[in-house]
C-alpha cells in the first residue's frame, strides 16, 4: 500500500511525463480497437459468405466425390456423383437427430447458359425450395430471388447477364454435357440478377435455381442429390461432423459411402485468404505494440535516471529492490490502464458509429470487404485491447524498473 501511495505521488509530481506515456498508450489503444474490429468484421463477413453461398457449416456428399475445395479454380462440378435415394435418406436421418440444425438438399453441376447472344459457363446450384440462406450472401441488382412455390427459375450474376444480354423475364437455355452422353438442355426464366456480397470476383461462375429443375435436367429422381448441407446454430463444426460420421457408421478403416466435411476444409482457398489478411493486420498491430513497448521502456529508463537520488534515498531507508520495482510498475501500469481505457472507449465509439454507416469500397477492396461494408460492433473485440495493452505495458516496464531499482546507496554516494 505504501508503494502504491508513492506511485500516485510520483504521477502528480510529473504530470508531463505521465501524459507523454499516456498519449502513446491512448493512440495505440484507439488504433488497436479499430484494427481489431476491422479484422473481426472482414473475417466474419468472408466466413459467413462462404457458409451461406456455398459450403454450409457441414457438407455431406458421396465418398466418390473428389472435390477438395469449393472455390478451386482448377476444377468444376461436372459429373459429380449423386447420392442414391437410400443414401440421402440415411443422411437425413442422421442429421434429423441433431436439434436446431437446418438441413438443405441440393444438386450442383457445371453447365452452359445459352442465348442468341452467346454462351457462358456457370456453376449452377439447385436449392431446396425452402432454403433462403443463399439470399444472405447474394445481393440483387435487378429482379427478385427464387420463388419457393415456382420452378424453372434462375438467378444469375451481373457478369453472366451482361454477356448473355438478358434481364429479368428473359429465358436462358441451360445445357449440361457429360462425357459419353448426349447433351441435355432445359429452359429457365431469369428472375434475378446480382452478385455475391463478398467474393464477387467469383460471382460470374455461380447461378442459383430450384432443386427440381436441376434434377430434371440431370435425370435424377426426387431424392438423388449431389450433397446435403447443414447449417448449425452454435455447435462446433468439427465436433458436429464427428457425431454425424458416427451416426452414418463411417470409420477410418474399410470402404466409405459418405464424405463429411466442414466449412474450413471445403473453403481452403478462402480460409487461406482469411488467415493471410488476419496475419497481415495482426502483424501490423504487433509492430505497433513493439514500438509502444520500446517507447515505454525508454521512458522508464529516463524516469529511473531522473530519480536516481530518490531511489538511492529509498534504498538507504530500507526499501527493497522488489518494493521499488513495484513502485515503478504500479505507476506505469496505472497510467497505461487509465489512458488505455480512454482510448478503448474512444475507439469503441468510432466502431459503434461506423457500424451504422454503409461503406461502399472500390475495387479491388470490394473483393474482401464486399460491395457494402458495415463495421461489426462486438464488446469483446473492443475490450480485449484494454487487457492486451495493460499486460504488454506491465511487461515492458519490468526490465527498466528492475535496472533502476538495482541502484545501491553506496553508488550514489560515490557520484558526489
Amino acid at each position: 500500500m505504501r508503494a502504491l501511495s508513492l506511485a500516485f505521488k510520483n504521477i502528480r509530481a510529473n504530470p508531463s511525463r505521465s501524459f507523454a506515456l499516456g498519449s502513446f498508450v491512448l493512440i495505440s489503444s484507439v488504433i488497436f480497437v479499430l484494427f481489431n474490429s476491422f479484422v473481426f468484421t472482414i473475417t466474419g463477413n468472408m466466413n459467413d459468405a462462404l457458409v451461406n453461398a456455398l459450403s454450409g457449416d457441414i457438407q455431406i456428399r458421396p465418398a466418390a466425390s473428389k472435390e477438395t475445395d469449393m472455390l478451386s479454380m482448377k476444377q468444376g462440378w461436372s459429373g459429380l456423383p449423386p447420392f442414391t435415394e437410400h443414401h440421402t435418406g440415411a443422411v437425413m436421418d442422421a442429421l434429423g437427430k441433431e436439434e436446431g440444425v437446418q438441413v438443405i438438399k441440393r444438386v450442383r453441376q457445371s453447365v452452359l447458359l445459352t442465348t442468341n447472344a452467346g454462351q457462358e459457363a456457370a456453376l449452377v446450384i439447385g436449392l431446396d425450395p425452402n432454403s433462403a440462406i443463399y439470399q444472405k450472401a447474394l445481393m440483387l441488382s435487378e429482379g427478385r430471388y427464387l420463388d419457393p412455390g415456382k420452378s424453372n427459375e434462375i438467378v444469375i450474376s451481373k457478369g453472366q447477364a451482361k454477356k448473355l444480354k438478358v434481364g429479368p423475364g428473359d429465358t436462358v437455355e441451360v445445357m449440361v454435357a457429360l462425357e459419353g452422353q448426349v447433351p441435355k438442355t432445359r429452359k429457365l426464366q431469369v428472375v434475378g440478377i446480382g452478385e455475391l456480397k463478398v467474393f464477387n470476383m467469383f460471382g460470374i461462375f455461380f447461378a442459383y435455381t430450384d432443386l427440381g429443375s436441376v434434377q430434371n435436367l440431370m435425370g435424377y429422381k426426387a431424392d438423388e442429390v449431389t450433397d446435403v448441407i447443414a447449417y448449425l446454430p452454435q455447435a462446433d463444426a468439427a465436433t458436429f461432423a464427428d457425431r454425424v460420421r458416427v451416426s452414418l457408421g463411417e470409420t477410418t478403416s474399410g470402404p466409405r459411402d459418405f464424405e463429411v466435411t466442414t466449412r474450413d476444409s471445403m473453403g481452403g482457398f478462402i480460409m487461406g485468404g482469411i488467415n493471410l489478411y488476419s496475419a497481415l493486420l495482426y502483424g501490423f498491430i504487433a509492430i505497433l505494440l513493439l514500438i509502444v513497448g520500446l517507447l515505454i521502456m525508454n521512458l522508464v529508463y529516463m524516469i529511473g535516471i531522473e530519480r536516481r537520488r530518490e531511489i538511492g534515498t529509498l534504498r538507504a531507508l530500507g526499501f527493497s529492490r522488489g518494493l521499488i520495482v513495484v513502485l515503478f510498475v504500479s505507476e506505469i501500469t496505472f497510467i497505461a490502464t487509465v489512458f488505455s481505457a480512454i482510448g478503448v472507449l474512444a475507439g469503441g465509439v468510432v466502431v459503434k458509429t461506423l457500424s451504422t454507416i454503409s461503406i461502399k469500397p472500390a475495387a479491388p477492396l470490394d473483393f474482401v470487404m464486399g460491395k457494402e461494408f458495415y463495421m461489426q460492433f462486438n464488446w469483446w473485440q473492443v475490450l480485449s485491447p484494454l487487457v492486451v495493452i495493460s499486460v504488454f505495458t506491465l511487461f515492458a516496464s519490468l526490465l527498466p524498473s528492475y535496472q533502476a531499482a538495482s541502484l545501491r546507496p553506496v553508488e550514489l554516494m560515490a557520484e558526489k
Side-chain angles (χ1 to χ4, degrees):
M1 184 61 70
R2 181 172 51 171
L4 291 176
S5 176
L6 287 173
F8 292 138
K9 288 182 180 179
N10 286 331
I11 293 173
R12 291 196 299 269
N14 299 276
S16 60
R17 187 74 71 188
S18 301
F19 183 78
L21 171 61
S23 298
F24 294 143
V25 175
L26 188 149
I27 294 172
S28 302
S29 299
V30 173
I31 296 175
F32 196 166
V33 168
L34 293 177
F35 268 83
N36 203 40
S37 297
F38 181 75
V39 173
F40 175 77
T41 303
I42 289 291
T43 54
N45 287 349
M46 294 178 77
N47 189 69
D48 289 345
L50 174 67
V51 170
N52 296 331
L54 296 173
S55 70
D57 292 302
I58 297 292
Q59 180 187 33
I60 307 174
R61 62 190 193 283
S65 175
K66 302 300 182 184
E67 291 176 296
T68 57
D69 193 319
M70 292 293 291
L71 282 177
S72 173
M73 301 293 287
K74 298 180 180 179
Q75 65 180 36
W77 297 337
S78 181
L80 294 176
F83 276 131
T84 64
E85 293 177 291
H86 169 73
H87 286 133
T88 301
V91 171
M92 299 302 289
D93 288 342
L95 293 175
K97 299 175 183 178
E98 303 289 342
E99 189 174 340
V101 177
Q102 184 175 356
V103 182
I104 304 297
K105 294 183 290 185
R106 68 182 189 184
V107 174
R108 295 177 292 121
Q109 179 61 42
S110 297
V111 300
L112 277 177
L113 303 180
T114 305
T115 66
N116 293 332
Q119 294 181 331
E120 180 68 9
L123 301 176
V124 70
I125 303 177
L127 298 167
D128 188 307
N130 297 319
S131 172
I133 293 180
Y134 77 100
Q135 297 177 12
K136 297 179 181 180
L138 184 67
M139 182 169 60
L140 291 180
S141 57
E142 297 181 62
R144 59 173 173 80
Y145 294 107
L146 300 173
D147 187 332
K150 296 182 180 180
S151 60
N152 299 322
E153 295 183 341
I154 189 169
V155 175
I156 63 177
S157 73
K158 291 174 67 174
Q160 290 165 343
K162 183 177 180 180
K163 291 184 178 181
L164 297 174
K165 297 181 180 179
V166 295
D170 294 330
T171 300
V172 297
E173 187 172 65
V174 181
M175 181 176 69
V176 58
L178 301 179
E179 187 176 352
Q181 297 184 20
V182 176
K184 303 174 183 178
T185 62
R186 188 176 184 86
K187 290 186 177 182
L188 301 179
Q189 183 182 36
V190 176
V191 296
I193 297 172
E195 57 190 344
L196 299 180
K197 295 178 181 178
V198 184
F199 315 140
N200 60 77
M201 178 184 291
F202 301 96
I204 61 172
F205 297 110
F206 300 109
Y208 293 92
T209 185
D210 64 283
L211 179 64
S213 294
V214 185
Q215 286 177 322
N216 290 334
L217 175 66
M218 299 300 297
Y220 292 165
K221 297 179 182 178
D223 280 331
E224 289 184 328
V225 296
T226 56
D227 49 89
V228 178
I229 299 297
Y231 296 95
L232 312 182
Q234 296 292 335
D236 175 69
T239 303
F240 182 86
D242 289 337
R243 292 205 304 269
V244 172
R245 292 186 186 100
V246 172
S247 297
L248 293 172
E250 295 293 284
T251 61
T252 55
S253 60
R256 294 182 296 115
D257 294 325
F258 308 95
E259 186 70 30
V260 183
T261 53
T262 67
R263 56 178 178 263
D264 294 332
S265 59
M266 291 306 291
F269 180 84
I270 294 303
M271 297 307 294
I274 292 174
N275 294 333
L276 175 61
Y277 281 109
S278 298
L280 290 174
L281 291 171
Y282 280 119
F284 175 85
I285 292 174
I287 293 173
L288 175 67
L289 289 176
L290 178 61
I291 294 173
V292 172
L294 292 174
L295 290 171
I296 290 173
M297 292 178 68
N298 183 60
L299 196 59
V300 177
Y301 274 124
M302 293 175 63
I303 292 174
I305 293 173
E306 293 174 354
R307 298 179 183 174
R308 285 177 63 83
R309 187 179 299 277
E310 298 174 25
I311 294 170
T313 302
L314 291 174
R315 291 300 304 274
L317 292 174
F319 277 66
S320 67
R321 178 185 299 170
L323 192 56
I324 294 177
V325 170
V326 171
L327 174 63
F328 270 92
V329 171
S330 298
E331 179 181 344
I332 301 302
T333 303
F334 177 79
I335 294 171
T337 301
V338 170
F339 278 85
S340 180
I342 296 173
V344 166
L345 180 61
V349 170
V350 174
V351 172
K352 184 67 174 178
T353 302
L354 291 176
S355 69
T356 62
I357 298 175
S358 174
I359 301 173
K360 300 185 184 299
L365 288 177
D366 60 344
F367 170 61
V368 177
M369 299 175 64
K371 290 296 184 181
E372 193 172 27
F373 182 81
Y374 289 90
M375 188 80 85
Q376 293 183 19
F377 182 82
N378 180 285
W379 274 114
W380 170 245
Q381 297 297 325
V382 170
L383 293 177
S384 57
L386 175 63
V387 178
V388 172
I389 290 179
S390 297
V391 173
F392 190 82
T393 303
L394 170 64
F395 282 103
S397 63
L398 283 176
L399 178 59
S401 298
Y402 180 81
Q403 291 189 350
S406 298
L407 177 68
R408 293 180 298 175
V410 67
E411 295 176 359
L412 187 62
M413 293 176 62
E415 295 176 1
K416 295 183 178 180

